[in-house]
Amino acid sequence: MPLPLYLLALAVFAMGTSEFMLAGLLPDIASDLDVTVGTAGTLTSAFAIGMVAGAPLVAALARNWPRRSSLLGFVLACAAAHAVGAITTSFPVLFATRVAAALANAGFLAVALTAAAALVPADKKGRALAVLLSGTTMATIAGVPGGSVLGTLLGWRATFWAVAALCLPAALGILKGIPTGRVKEKATGGPTLRAELAQLTRPRLVLVMLLGALVNAATFASFTFLAPVVTETAGLEELWISVVLVLFGAGSFVGVTVAGRLSDQRPGLVITVGGPLLLIGWPVLAMLANEPVALFTLVFVQGALSFALGSTLITRILYEAAGAPTMAGSYATAALNVGAAAGPFIAATALSTAVGNLGPLWASGLLVAIALLIAFPLRTVVAAGQSAEVLQ
């Protein structure tokens, strides 16, 4: 894999830390800003909403911009948003900074996904995507737990400052390692923006986007509210939150790595095996969450299955949107963040039910069940191989 791909992964690590870090900070933010934990959880949805709205909009605006300049600008804007978030005492302002950071992240990821696919041969998109998403999984392994520990020791604001600082070496890496050039392919002229947007009318593309959204909703529904499961349901100390987040991240890294080697040639294997196992895992985790050993084991497994299935569906989106070379990344970003926005809202509602802190885990199982019910009768379409790239 080319070196620029790993430099993009470094930036994804910085931004991924921002996207996931609230999972270990929600109780402290809620207490400091005098809101409920459920309300604080909407910060995750705010980020996701900004990603959903920003991905296609910013990608459309940036499709003719120099690639390196646009990526650099997005990273620096993300750093600025976190600096403001670190000093505010207003929940609405913090909410707004999450949206602003998300817009920057959306623009970056939309361009980066497209750039990553362009850096490798057409039949290696899954491998390239696995490298790019390794930045996200490393964020869950190191960045998010580290942020949780930092937040526990120095307060949640320190974590925001840390993310702002983390964006700076990522920006330097982009400046030094990403070649200049524009997203749009001038040599062939490339399709018009209208033609790229018209790809969204293709049923196969809409199907894989919907499935990606549902799986990601399930992931974020539980991941966002793992902290109270650890401290209240399992009865562990706050520092164990970081351990659980590390385990989820380690699982996600394994899942992305394995799926990256299968999603180009054998996506059906990942979907037909991983989907049912993921469905079973969420309710089992809900029933055994009060047992620390079972909690640790199942969090690792669910992280692996969630990211294996999710990254495979992202790859399918990129293949199905091959007719939209500058917008395909934004379609994948938007689809996944529709799920990231809906998941915490659904989970916050589930918190008020009789099952309490376990509500998000049951909600995740329901979301995966819906995805599988939709996918099962259309499984041959969802699991189509590389030929899907050229079928219209």
Side-chain angles (χ1 to χ4, degrees):
M1 293 288 106
L3 176 61
L5 195 55
Y6 293 93
L7 296 173
L8 291 177
L10 173 63
V12 171
F13 169 73
M15 294 186 172
T17 298
S18 171
E19 184 169 7
F20 289 106
M21 69 182 181
L22 294 185
L25 303 177
L26 289 182
D28 288 342
I29 292 175
S31 177
D32 188 21
L33 300 183
D34 196 25
V35 297
T36 67
V37 173
T39 299
T42 63
L43 292 172
T44 300
S45 294
F47 197 96
I49 290 170
M51 292 281 285
V52 172
L57 176 61
V58 178
L61 292 174
R63 68 195 301 266
N64 292 314
W65 294 355
R67 180 175 292 151
R68 184 172 65 181
S69 298
S70 59
L71 291 172
L72 180 63
F74 293 140
V75 171
L76 293 178
C78 186
H82 283 84
V84 174
I87 62 177
T88 186
T89 58
S90 167
F91 183 80
V93 172
L94 182 60
F95 191 95
T97 65
R98 297 304 291 165
V99 175
L103 289 172
N105 194 357
F108 178 87
L109 191 57
V111 175
L113 282 169
T114 303
L119 288 171
V120 298
D123 62 346
K124 299 295 183 182
K125 289 181 181 179
R127 292 286 299 276
L129 183 63
V131 172
L132 192 66
L133 288 183
S134 69
T136 298
T137 60
M138 289 307 297
T140 60
I141 294 171
V144 176
S148 179
V149 171
L150 188 62
T152 299
L153 298 177
L154 300 177
W156 66 269
R157 297 178 189 277
T159 304
F160 275 68
W161 282 118
V163 171
L166 191 61
C167 288
L168 300 182
L172 182 61
I174 291 170
L175 187 62
K176 296 296 185 180
I178 302 300
T180 57
R182 298 181 186 275
V183 176
K184 192 172 182 178
E185 299 179 20
K186 289 185 174 181
T188 60
T192 64
L193 178 60
R194 177 176 294 182
E196 294 199 46
L197 293 175
Q199 293 292 305
L200 291 172
T201 63
R202 298 182 62 236
R204 290 164 66 123
L205 175 58
V206 173
L207 174 62
V208 291
M209 289 176 67
L210 173 61
L211 296 177
L214 286 168
V215 170
N216 210 42
T219 303
F220 269 78
S222 289
F223 186 81
T224 302
F225 295 102
L226 277 178
V229 173
V230 174
T231 58
E232 297 178 27
T233 304
L236 300 173
E237 298 294 330
E238 282 191 6
L239 286 176
W240 284 100
I241 296 173
S242 300
V243 174
V244 170
L245 295 178
V246 167
L247 288 171
F248 187 93
S252 69
F253 181 79
V254 171
V256 164
T257 302
V258 173
R261 298 182 178 278
L262 295 174
S263 58
D264 287 311
Q265 306 294 338
R266 303 185 68 185
L269 179 63
V270 179
I271 294 170
T272 57
V273 174
L277 290 177
L278 182 62
L279 170 61
I280 295 169
W282 287 124
V284 172
L285 178 55
M287 291 184 288
L288 299 178
N290 61 326
E291 298 290 340
V293 173
L295 174 64
F296 297 158
T297 302
L298 288 168
V299 161
F300 176 88
V301 171
Q302 291 303 95
L305 293 171
S306 294
F307 274 76
L309 195 58
S311 64
T312 298
L313 290 169
I314 295 175
T315 303
R316 299 316 320 150
I317 293 172
L318 295 180
Y319 275 122
E320 292 294 344
T326 70
M327 295 295 291
S330 72
Y331 299 160
T333 301
L336 295 182
N337 282 281
V338 165
F345 271 121
I346 295 170
T349 301
L351 284 172
S352 62
T353 65
V355 291
N357 292 330
L358 299 178
L361 302 178
W362 289 106
S364 293
L366 177 61
L367 288 165
V368 174
I370 294 171
L372 294 182
L373 287 173
I374 294 172
F376 182 75
L378 301 169
R379 57 191 180 280
T380 57
V381 174
V382 176
Q386 296 175 36
S387 60
E389 186 174 356
V390 295
L391 292 176
Q392 303 296 323

